Amino acid sequence: MDAARPCSSFLSDLDFCPDCGSVLPLPGAQDAVSCTRCGLSIHVRDFEEKVVRTSVVFHKLGTARPLSAEEGPEFQGPVLDRRCSRCGHEGMAYHTRQMRSADEGQTVFYTCTNCRWVSSAFPALSG
């Protein structure tokens, strides 16, 4: 199959449908591969010299280590002048996370740079 045919919308390898861009299923025993999104049918002969390679990498047991507190997202945010309610230290890093539905505000997590105490501030709920 020529990937640059005139009615094609996408120039790509045969991993993707040339009309809609969706991922094509792997060829099976049938004479054609059909796109599950738009229904375009491609003859299996067009896949004859296509090579699919996969690999799996196993790490040695015990080589993975957990992230330390300094490497986590709570210490990668900006530091602001906020007093820790546990130790009284002035200066807390913060990061935000969407914890509820998308139409509600994000929750702000504050982490003390001194004692690592984590507190959160929830946005006001709209009623």
Side-chain angles (χ1 to χ4, degrees):
M1 175 181 156
D2 182 15
R5 63 187 185 147
C7 63
S8 176
S9 301
F10 299 92
L11 283 175
S12 72
D13 210 2
L14 275 182
D15 294 328
F16 302 96
C17 175
D19 282 355
C20 72
S22 295
V23 177
L24 289 174
L26 292 174
Q30 299 84 8
D31 289 340
V33 172
S34 295
C35 176
T36 56
R37 183 168 186 233
C38 71
L40 176 75
S41 184
I42 302 171
H43 200 278
V44 292
R45 275 191 241 121
D46 295 336
F47 291 89
E48 278 182 353
E49 295 186 26
K50 175 100 175 119
V51 177
V52 177
R53 291 190 178 99
T54 60
S55 65
V56 177
V57 177
F58 293 97
H59 297 284
K60 290 184 180 181
L61 190 61
T63 59
R65 62 176 182 83
L67 292 176
S68 69
E70 290 81 20
E71 295 171 342
E74 58 273 4
F75 283 102
Q76 294 175 0
V79 176
L80 47 95
D81 295 329
R82 183 178 176 106
R83 187 175 304 277
C84 175
S85 59
R86 178 185 249 181
C87 72
H89 177 73
E90 189 72 33
M92 296 185 84
Y94 75 93
H95 69 280
T96 60
R97 199 168 275 164
Q98 188 70 37
M99 302 298 287
R100 292 176 300 282
S101 63
D103 63 340
E104 297 180 20
Q106 293 183 343
T107 302
V108 181
F109 293 92
Y110 297 96
T111 305
C112 177
T113 57
N114 183 48
C115 72
R116 294 173 172 53
W117 173 257
V118 178
S119 61
S120 60
F122 300 100
L125 297 176
S126 57

